[in-house]
Amino acid sequence: MTQRTQRIEDYALIGDLQTAALVGRDGSVDWLCLPRFDSAACFTALLGDEDNGHWRIAPTEAGPFGQCSRRAYLDDSLILETYWETRSGTVKVIDFMPQRDTAPDVVRIVEGVSGTVEMSSVLRLRFDYGHVVPWMRRSDGHRVAIAGPDSVWLRSEPEVKTWGQHMSTRSSFTVDKGEKVAFVLTWHPSHEPRPDLIDPHEALEQSLADWREWAARCRYQGPYREAVIRSLITLKALTFAPTGGIVAAPTTSLPEELGGIRNWDYRYCWLRDSTLTLEALLSAGYLDEAAQWRDWLLRAVAGDPADLQIMYGLSGERRLPEVELPWLKGHLESAPVRIGNAAVEQLQLDVYGEVIDSLYLARQAGLHSESHAWNLQLSLLGFLEARWREPDEGLWEVRGPRRHFVHSKVMAWVAADRAVRTLEAEPELRGDAARWRKMRDEVHREVCEKGFDPVRNTFTQAYGSQELDAATLLIPRVGFLPPDDPRVVGTVDAVAAELGGSGFVRRYSTDDTTVDGLPGDEGTFLVCSFWLADALRLTGRVKEARDLFERLLTLRNDVGLLAEEYDPGAGRHLGNFPQAFSHIGLVATACALEPDGEDEAG
């Protein structure tokens, strides 16, 4: 079979708020997990080849490698329109997943725009991440695929003749101007009866209305609204509606370096993202989504503070064992392909600060306070008070030895600081402000003594280290030091100079493999580049901040999506896609960059 040649940025996203699919510029759905984000994929060509599962609809004239003429989302929605211009006419394919009642559906509507166009559909279903070939049969004019727990039904309106060939289901049909042919692919558990059929055209109208209504709630009206609303729609698409959890990305194992081994499963919910996620949602006016994320957070972290994890499953699941799938070649030969994430077992002290900061932010924003939330914060603080002096794996989940990471210590300071602020604002709450004030002062003093290099005038990645870390850009943002402190200015300059390759920012240097315990390299980290823009703005260099932000906007693909990382040399996206953290950074920086009335010194 043919290895997929699509770049990461060649994909667009569709989804139903419980799972998502990636559609390539060649009209092929190359990634889809059913029924949830973290379920096994039934289309896995993204990480292998065509025999690992895909579904392509394209003009026959385009051949096996043809690309569309153009594509875009319909208005402020997650409905994708892909146009193909051929010698005989023009056709568009509308791809979307309606928000489900019971079963997930993928709807693909082929509509003639001009002339007459012959179309081809090739469907290869491969359950269990491209490993299991289902048994196909016909039933009531439908094609039905069954393997173990999975059952998928394929139908078309009007009915299109299909046949089996080379372990795939194929069809060929023509569309004239104004004519529409709709395909619906529906999943359900194989032991249950087929769910009720949806009307694809009614589903399209309802989906468009739903997205338009949701997008209209955005209160950001600044100069970057198009980018902001697209990022917010992407974050909404990465939300698991039943619980409010937001996955870091809908994919696994898209490489941070082509041909490298830095390939991880991101289909889970990270606590490190919690504060920035809440900030982005609240700043854009999405209070309901912010409250749902806050409630997911409270449920997930409930329990013994010693058992706090850095990430959880969509419903707060704790066990996410990491295994490799040897039958998959990896995206562009980047193996191994992994599912699950062993970083779930790591100690990351920063997450205690991020949780407490998130709950403080929610309280400040006026979100209804849960009665047990403050007691939970006190419990987390008590644990952190006893453990903050220990080394950990840090924000970036390094797989090298534990270290005294500066960012982890700063977030311990944040935890104590937010407790003090809460008690000062609400003295009726139970708690010892003097105790947390003492902890806050001790952390601050130690970080400034051990985590700062006075010779280079910069905070370092860890105590005693010469390496830098982009996470130190957050020091003024969280209030650890004021933006005009010379140590903050020096850190911003050092990170920009030493980690800012081609104007964008790396997380840290990978030259010293003892830090993260892994060979190879990675791209510039997009959220860190947004952090640099934020830090430049805070330190008064607003023009530089805006210039960097607008350069970052040019990295979005043709439908406005960002991956986790970017390779400036090759000019391509890297890492899982689309990445929530990148889009959170975009929204936060856009909202922080007011359109006028600023000091434009730079």
Side-chain angles (χ1 to χ4, degrees), residues 301-456:
V301 305
D304 188 339
D307 295 331
L308 189 71
Q309 297 184 176
I310 68 167
M311 72 182 83
Y312 294 86
L314 304 176
S315 301
E317 297 91 346
R318 290 174 173 266
R319 299 193 182 278
L320 312 173
E322 182 178 302
V323 298
E324 296 181 4
L325 306 183
W327 60 87
L328 291 173
K329 303 174 184 177
H331 181 75
L332 299 182
E333 307 287 340
S334 301
V337 170
R338 299 180 174 97
I339 58 172
N341 200 311
V344 73
E345 303 292 339
Q346 291 185 350
L347 173 66
Q348 292 185 18
L349 294 173
D350 61 288
V351 298
Y352 292 85
E354 284 143 6
V355 170
I356 292 170
D357 195 22
S358 296
L359 298 178
Y360 172 79
L361 177 64
R363 203 178 195 98
Q364 292 294 105
L367 296 183
H368 173 70
S369 179
E370 297 292 340
S371 59
H372 67 285
W374 178 245
N375 289 333
L376 173 63
Q377 291 174 77
L378 290 178
S379 181
L380 294 174
L381 273 164
F383 175 86
L384 189 58
E385 181 185 35
R387 300 284 298 273
W388 71 265
R389 294 177 178 84
E390 298 180 13
D392 70 345
E393 276 91 2
L395 171 73
W396 303 126
E397 301 158 17
V398 299
R399 300 202 175 192
R402 290 182 177 178
R403 296 170 182 246
H404 291 281
F405 287 101
V406 168
H407 177 263
S408 295
K409 310 300 185 185
V410 168
M411 293 311 296
W413 177 91
V414 167
D417 177 74
R418 301 317 188 247
V420 170
R421 292 191 192 189
T422 301
L423 288 168
E424 289 175 345
E426 302 179 54
E428 71 277 7
L429 290 175
R430 181 176 66 88
D432 187 345
R435 174 185 175 186
W436 308 126
R437 198 175 287 114
K438 178 183 177 182
M439 174 184 164
R440 180 179 67 178
D441 293 345
E442 289 177 354
V443 177
H444 197 279
R445 183 167 51 252
E446 181 176 294
V447 170
C448 291
E449 290 176 357
K450 299 182 178 181
F452 181 76
D453 182 347
V455 175
R456 297 159 67 202

Side-chain angles (χ1 to χ4, degrees), residues 81-98:
E81 292 187 325
T82 301
Y83 285 83
W84 300 80
E85 296 175 359
T86 73
R87 288 171 293 183
S88 60
T90 300
V91 68
K92 71 176 176 180
V93 179
I94 304 170
D95 291 320
F96 68 102
M97 295 184 69

Side-chain angles (χ1 to χ4, degrees), residues 54 95 150 167 220 267 292 319 347 416 499 516 555 562:
H54 75 120
D95 291 320
D150 298 295
M167 306 296 284
Y220 174 82
R267 297 171 299 156
Q292 290 164 6
R319 299 193 182 278
L347 173 66
L499 298 181
D516 63 17
L555 303 187
L562 291 169

